[in-house]
């Protein structure tokens, strides 16, 4: 049975110079007494771009760490309760969005009321369009990033203004585009090529490639803009690509690339934005039988059976050209701990490991060695 599941998202506003006006009108969408969630690196821009346009703000909080650890989530929840916050403005990347969703969920558990979220994303994974979030549990014998899907936590309003990307570090911005492509590809696990996700995602991936394959080497975002190598239109194009790659997130299910990333990030501390750079191309090759010709949408002109390999090769070339890491061994993780990674994946995500086909568990072991 084909099925399209929609989320209760009220408005997505995009374009140049739309941020200030949209923030000023959040009250039209039921936002009262907003608190801003962000990170320390964005505090100066938050004071300049966000705070002056919020009506009735009850403050801001920047004490959020990567991978949304439960300690940060509890602090965020308490800050909302202490301030009497009625809504959240999430200004940042995936970890800030995860924190906002998690706090809204826990606020509902405590008070019976979800806090509506307005998303101001500074990265390009597309988390602002989904109801998925992770909380890294820190109290057990081993850290573990547990996934949740709570439809009421999807941001009610999303703002895509290229100015939001101008302060994002190059590596973070570009690696998040690979995460966005990851959403497009793994969204094909359980849908056919005529599903709306597939049609929108194919458009998003092609636009990502068109912009990223001419991206300048080494320059930070502001430097690239000042030199003319990148335009604000390019940044908006990336924002729209991320949206198209993850246009119907409630209709798709994460796959093995994402799950390896959750374990490498939540448990072993690798930067979440970079994990898809390491995992996506090899996972596409390893799961080629599962995806088959459906990935032809992302590899125009591919003959029968060629699409997975052609797409994986193009992604791998893009990662290399952009100077992004493509091996676990580039990070501070002892190779001897790969069996721990494998065990967590086999125990927690058997369905995704099963995408590898016959002898999936032993194939996973070999895949992780390849990723090293």
């Amino acid at each position: 049975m084909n099925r399209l599941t929609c989320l209760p998202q009220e408005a997505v506003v995009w374009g140049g110079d739309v941020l200030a006006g949209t923030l000023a009108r959040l009250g039209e969408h039921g936002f009262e007494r907003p608190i801003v969630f962000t990170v320390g690196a964005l505090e100066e821009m938050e004071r300049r771009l966000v705070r002056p346009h919020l009506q009735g703000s009850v403050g801001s909080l920047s004490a959020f760490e990567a991978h949304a650890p439960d300690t940060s989530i509890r602090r965020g929840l308490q800050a909302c309760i202490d301030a009497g916050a009625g809504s959240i403005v999430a200004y940042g990347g995936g970890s800030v969005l995860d924190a906002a969703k998690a706090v809204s969920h826990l606020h509902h558990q405590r008070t019976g009321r979800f806090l509506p979220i307005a998303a101001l994303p500074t990265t390009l994974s597309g988390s602002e369009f989904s109801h998925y979030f992770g909380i890294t549990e820190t109290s057990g014998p081993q850290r573990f990033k547990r996934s949740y899907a709570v439809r009421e936590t999807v941001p009610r309003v999303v703002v895509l203004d290229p100015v939001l990307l101008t302060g994002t570090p190059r590596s973070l911005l570009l690696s998040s585009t690979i995460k966005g492509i990851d959403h497009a590809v793994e969204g094909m696990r359980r849908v056919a090529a005529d599903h709306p996700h597939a049609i929108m995602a194919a458009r998003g991936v092609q636009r990502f490639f068109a912009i990223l394959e001419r991206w300048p080497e080494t320059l930070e975002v502001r430097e690239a803009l000042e030199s003319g190598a990148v335009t604000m239109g390019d940044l908006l194009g990336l924002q729209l690509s991320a949206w198209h790659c993850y246009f119907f997130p409630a209709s798709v299910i994460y796959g093995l690339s994402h799950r390896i990333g959750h374990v490498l990030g939540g448990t072993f501390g690798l930067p979440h934005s970079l994990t898809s750079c390491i995992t996506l191309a090899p996972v596409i090759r390893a799961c080629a039988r599962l995806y088959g010709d459906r990935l032809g949408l992302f590899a125009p002109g591919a003959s029968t059976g060629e699409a997975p390999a052609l797409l994986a090769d193009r992604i791998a070339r893009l990662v290399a050209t952009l100077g992004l890491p493509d091996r676990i061994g580039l990070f501070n993780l002892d190779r001897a701990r790969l069996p721990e990674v494998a065990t967590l994946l086999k125990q927690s995500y058997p369905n995704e490991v099963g995408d590898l086909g016959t002898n999936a568990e032993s194939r996973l072991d070999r895949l992780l060695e390849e990723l090293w």
Side-chain angles (χ1 to χ4, degrees):
M1 179 181 70
N2 293 317
R3 180 183 177 92
L4 180 67
T5 303
C6 299
L7 294 170
Q9 202 153 50
E10 289 187 7
V12 179
V13 184
W14 69 94
D17 300 319
V18 300
L19 177 62
T22 307
L23 289 174
R25 294 190 298 273
L26 283 180
E28 298 173 9
H29 297 278
F31 283 77
E32 298 177 347
R33 298 181 60 80
I35 185 171
V36 179
F37 282 10
T38 189
V39 291
L42 292 172
E43 285 181 331
E44 187 276 329
M45 291 186 71
E46 185 271 333
R47 287 191 293 270
R48 179 165 50 87
L49 296 178
V50 179
R51 195 177 304 178
H53 309 292
L54 278 182
Q55 298 180 6
S57 173
V58 296
S60 63
L61 184 67
S62 60
F64 294 105
E65 304 167 46
H67 306 297
D70 48 16
T71 50
S72 292
I73 304 307
R74 288 194 292 269
R75 284 196 299 269
L77 175 62
Q78 195 59 51
C80 288
I81 291 172
D82 291 345
S87 58
I88 300 171
V89 173
Y91 172 46
S95 291
V96 172
L97 264 295
D98 271 15
K101 296 174 194 177
V103 167
S104 179
H105 169 58
L106 295 178
H107 190 275
H108 174 261
Q109 288 188 334
R110 183 178 293 193
T111 70
R113 183 170 60 90
F114 289 98
L115 295 175
I117 299 167
L120 315 179
T122 60
T123 56
L124 298 161
S125 68
S127 175
E128 60 273 13
F129 300 109
S130 86
H131 61 318
Y132 295 119
F133 59 93
I135 301 176
T136 300
E137 299 167 351
T138 62
S139 58
Q142 189 174 49
R143 291 168 61 99
F144 182 73
K145 188 172 185 178
R146 193 169 302 280
S147 298
Y148 297 81
V150 183
R151 69 189 309 272
E152 292 84 359
T153 67
V154 66
R156 186 178 294 180
V157 175
V158 177
V159 185
L160 303 179
D161 186 323
V163 72
L164 293 169
L165 304 184
T166 57
T168 305
R170 180 183 191 277
S171 176
L172 175 57
L173 184 75
L174 297 180
S175 62
S176 70
T177 68
I178 308 302
K179 184 70 69 179
I181 296 172
D182 203 332
H183 284 138
V185 174
E186 296 208 324
M188 298 299 298
R189 290 179 71 238
R190 296 291 181 261
V191 304
D194 60 353
H195 190 281
H197 162 78
I199 296 166
M200 295 298 292
R203 169 63 176 160
V205 168
Q206 292 308 316
R207 179 181 270 182
F208 263 143
F209 281 137
I211 296 172
L212 294 171
E213 287 176 342
R214 55 180 174 79
W215 199 266
E217 294 183 10
T218 69
L219 295 179
E220 288 294 329
V221 177
R222 285 199 180 96
E223 295 172 333
L225 287 167
E226 291 167 359
S227 72
V230 169
T231 68
M232 294 296 272
D234 290 328
L235 296 184
L236 180 60
L238 294 178
Q239 291 174 309
L240 294 174
S241 298
W243 184 18
H244 295 160
C245 284
Y246 212 24
F247 207 82
F248 296 105
S251 295
V252 302
I253 303 171
Y254 288 141
L256 185 58
S257 175
H258 269 80
R259 297 312 189 185
I260 296 174
H262 286 169
V263 171
L264 291 177
T267 302
F268 296 97
L270 270 68
H272 183 63
S273 65
L274 295 173
T275 54
S276 289
C277 302
I278 298 169
T279 61
L280 181 55
V283 166
I284 291 173
R285 295 189 188 100
C287 298
R289 181 169 296 182
L290 169 77
Y291 291 113
D293 291 336
R294 285 178 294 163
L295 294 188
L297 287 165
F298 306 126
S303 59
T304 302
E306 287 185 339
L310 289 176
L311 177 60
D313 289 347
R314 193 173 186 185
I315 292 169
R317 283 196 304 273
L318 183 61
V319 168
T321 300
L322 295 176
L324 299 170
D326 61 357
R327 290 288 182 271
I328 298 173
L330 296 172
F331 297 89
N332 187 27
L333 176 62
D334 192 332
R335 187 172 189 168
R337 303 197 71 180
L338 289 182
E340 295 179 54
V341 177
T343 297
L344 276 173
L345 288 164
K346 293 169 187 177
Q347 291 176 346
S348 304
Y349 306 117
N351 292 334
E352 292 86 340
V353 172
D355 288 353
L356 292 168
T358 306
N359 299 319
E361 293 197 356
S362 60
R363 292 190 68 194
L364 175 66
D365 296 335
R366 292 195 296 273
L367 175 62
L368 292 174
E369 287 290 338
E370 177 188 343
L371 297 180
W372 179 263

